[in-house]
């Protein structure tokens, strides 16, 4: 850990010094955040009660000349494993941004699949990403792919079109990726193609659809689609997404289909200060009700400042497998810098 911090500090210092004398680097900044967590559950035969470092990140980003944006980001997680998965590179990419209607990104970055996947973990609003996004977008993926925070290595084009009254009505994005997750070369020489298209007919409203076809070296073919809707305005957020997946999981006995849906609401009590929230979160690992797991969540968050936030959540969890019901409490303190 000390070596990592020393290396990052040296890199920041060196890059900063270079940036001051190199016109190719503009508006470079160093930022980061940490998410501290306490979680407890009364799940029968698996009771848990623990403080945890959910994650911490340090990022360097900026512009190389006028048209190119770049970002490098490292992540540290709390873990019980004696390996290096707790410290890893999550982002390393550059994007040509000369035109709003056509941008090109290359490197390691978020897969263009679902509205929720690209969201900042704090802005996303709950104690974790929804189950369907976690299992079917590359966090703790159903295929058994190593944890990749919804990211992969590849090339993507995207853009905004149909600008009317200072607002774009249409967004598209499509990319070609290894299909193996972060920090990993392609193992089967086949590529994943992922894309999305959404409309923004009203200010704050977007409705979209996403598709994903490709393969996993361990489990073979995978085909997925998502249907998404979100309204976010005046500190209100309403969002729902359904994801369907076809392709074997890491547990082949579970079959080749899975799906999930979530619906959430975040409502301001005091705008930009205090919010209450609720989420319905369902995932079916075999696309059957007998394989479903459902979270019924309620909570609140309080912003002491824009960079310091306290979150409290309660969830009633129903697992059809094993016919188990249990309670879960999550408390988090989020710090940005």
């Amino acid at each position: 850990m000390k070596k990592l911090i020393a290396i990052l500090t040296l890199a920041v210092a060196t890059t900063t010094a270079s940036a001051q004398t190199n016109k190719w680097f503009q508006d470079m900044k160093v930022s980061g955040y940490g998410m501290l967590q306490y979680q407890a559950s009364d799940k029968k035969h698996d009771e848990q009660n623990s403080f945890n470092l959910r994650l911490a990140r340090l990022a360097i980003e900026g512009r190389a000349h006028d048209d190119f944006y770049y970002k490098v980001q490292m992540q540290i997680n709390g873990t019980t494993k004696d390996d290096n998965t707790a410290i890893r590179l999550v982002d390393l990419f550059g994007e040509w941004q000369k035109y709003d209607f056509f941008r090109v990104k290359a490197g390691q970055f978020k897969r263009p699949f679902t509205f929720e996947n690209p969201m900042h973990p704090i802005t996303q609003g709950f104690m974790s990403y929804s189950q369907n996004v976690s299992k079917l977008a590359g966090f703790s993926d159903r295929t058994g792919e190593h944890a990749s925070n919804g990211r992969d290595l590849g090339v993507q084009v995207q853009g905004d079109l149909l600008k009317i009254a200072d607002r774009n009505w249409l967004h598209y994005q499509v990319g070609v990726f290894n299909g193996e997750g972060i920090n990993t070369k392609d193992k089967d020489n086949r590529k994943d193609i992922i894309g999305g298209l959404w409309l923004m007919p009203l200010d704050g409203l977007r409705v979209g659809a996403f598709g994903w076809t490709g393969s996993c070296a361990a489990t073979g073919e995978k085909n997925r689609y998502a249907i998404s809707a979100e309204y976010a305005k005046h500190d209100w957020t309403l969002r729902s997404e359904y994801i369907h997946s076809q392709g074997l999981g890491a547990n082949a006995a579970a079959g080749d289909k899975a799906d999930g849906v979530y619906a959430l609401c975040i409502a301001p009590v005091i705008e930009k200060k205090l919010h209450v929230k609720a989420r319905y979160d369902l995932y079916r690992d075999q696309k059957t009700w007998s394989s479903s797991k459902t979270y019924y969540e309620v909570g609140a968050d309080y912003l002491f400042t824009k960079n310091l936030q306290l979150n409290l959540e309660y969830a009633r969890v129903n697992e059809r497998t094993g016919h188990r019901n249990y309670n879960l409490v999550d408390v988090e303190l989020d710090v940005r810098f």
Side-chain angles (χ1 to χ4, degrees):
M1 180 70 73
K2 291 181 179 179
K3 290 183 179 179
L4 173 66
I5 294 173
I7 291 170
L8 289 174
T9 303
L10 178 60
V12 171
T14 302
T15 307
T16 302
S18 299
Q20 293 174 348
T21 59
N22 192 336
K23 67 178 182 179
W24 280 84
F25 292 90
Q26 304 169 13
D27 304 320
M28 193 193 75
K29 66 177 182 179
V30 179
S31 63
Y33 60 93
M35 306 179 75
L36 303 172
Q37 181 183 56
Y38 170 79
Q39 196 170 87
S41 76
D42 62 357
K43 184 176 181 179
K44 192 172 182 179
H45 305 307
D46 189 24
E47 292 84 357
Q48 295 186 13
N49 180 339
S50 179
F51 293 101
N52 179 43
L53 172 60
R54 179 178 165 188
L55 61 83
R57 286 182 179 166
L58 179 65
I60 302 172
E61 60 186 313
R63 308 197 71 82
H65 215 262
D66 294 328
D67 302 329
F68 292 89
Y69 169 78
Y70 64 88
K71 184 174 184 178
V72 182
Q73 185 168 220
M74 297 291 297
Q75 176 172 304
I76 301 171
N77 287 88
T79 181
T80 57
K81 299 179 181 179
D82 186 19
D83 57 25
N84 65 356
T85 59
I87 304 173
R88 60 185 181 273
L89 177 71
V90 290
D91 287 302
L92 177 59
F93 66 85
E95 185 175 34
W96 182 62
Q97 299 181 338
K98 185 172 183 178
Y99 302 108
D100 288 342
F101 62 86
F102 184 78
R103 298 183 175 190
V104 183
K105 181 186 290 188
Q108 181 168 286
F109 52 90
K110 284 281 192 176
R111 289 165 163 141
F113 191 70
T114 77
F115 286 161
E116 186 166 281
N117 180 30
M119 290 181 178
H120 191 289
I122 297 176
T123 306
Q124 181 272 138
F126 287 80
M127 60 183 170
S128 64
Y129 289 86
S130 58
Q131 293 181 91
N132 58 357
V133 171
S134 296
K135 293 293 185 182
L136 303 176
F139 285 78
S140 178
D141 203 276
R142 183 175 188 267
T143 61
E145 169 191 294
H146 63 281
S148 295
N149 298 94
R151 292 166 166 85
D152 204 347
L153 280 155
V155 179
Q156 172 183 301
V157 295
Q158 65 179 340
D160 296 306
L161 304 170
L162 301 179
K163 190 170 185 177
I164 303 173
D166 298 322
R167 180 168 53 82
N168 292 296
W169 283 55
L170 178 67
H171 177 86
Y172 74 91
Q173 52 190 37
V174 62
V176 180
F177 301 87
N178 278 344
E180 304 293 345
I182 61 174
N183 307 322
T184 304
K185 293 177 66 175
D186 201 342
K187 296 178 182 178
D188 61 4
N189 294 322
R190 300 175 62 185
K191 299 296 181 282
D192 284 11
I193 300 174
I194 308 172
L197 183 73
W198 63 78
L199 296 171
M200 296 166 280
L202 299 172
D203 189 23
L205 174 66
R206 54 179 178 162
V207 180
F210 300 82
W212 179 347
T213 184
S215 66
C216 175
T219 60
E221 299 286 341
K222 60 183 173 187
N223 297 287
R224 296 171 177 175
Y225 68 84
I227 300 171
S228 310
E230 181 186 59
Y231 178 78
K233 191 175 181 182
H234 300 310
D235 216 22
W236 282 81
T237 299
L238 300 167
R239 186 170 68 252
S240 182
E241 300 190 275
Y242 172 79
I243 307 175
H244 179 275
S245 175
Q246 179 272 322
L248 291 175
N251 177 14
D256 71 343
K257 291 184 180 180
D259 70 351
V261 63
Y262 73 86
L264 63 83
C265 175
I266 303 174
V269 177
I270 303 174
E271 191 168 350
K272 306 297 183 182
K273 197 74 174 177
L274 175 65
H275 305 85
V276 292
K277 50 196 172 185
R279 179 171 69 173
Y280 169 80
D281 182 7
L282 165 72
Y283 175 67
R284 303 191 301 174
D285 193 52
Q286 301 176 36
K287 204 184 174 182
T288 62
W289 288 107
S290 61
S291 67
S292 69
K293 183 176 182 179
T294 308
Y295 286 77
Y296 303 90
E297 301 171 61
V298 293
D301 62 59
Y302 182 79
L303 284 75
F304 296 97
T305 71
K306 66 179 182 178
N307 294 324
L308 182 63
Q309 178 175 323
L310 180 65
N311 310 275
L312 173 64
E313 285 186 55
Y314 164 78
R316 180 65 175 176
V317 186
N318 171 251
E319 291 184 357
R320 293 287 183 92
T321 304
H323 305 285
R324 291 181 291 189
N325 295 283
Y326 57 94
N327 303 294
L328 176 67
V329 174
D330 183 273
V331 182
E332 292 187 20
L333 183 66
D334 302 329
V335 182
R336 304 181 194 232
F337 59 89

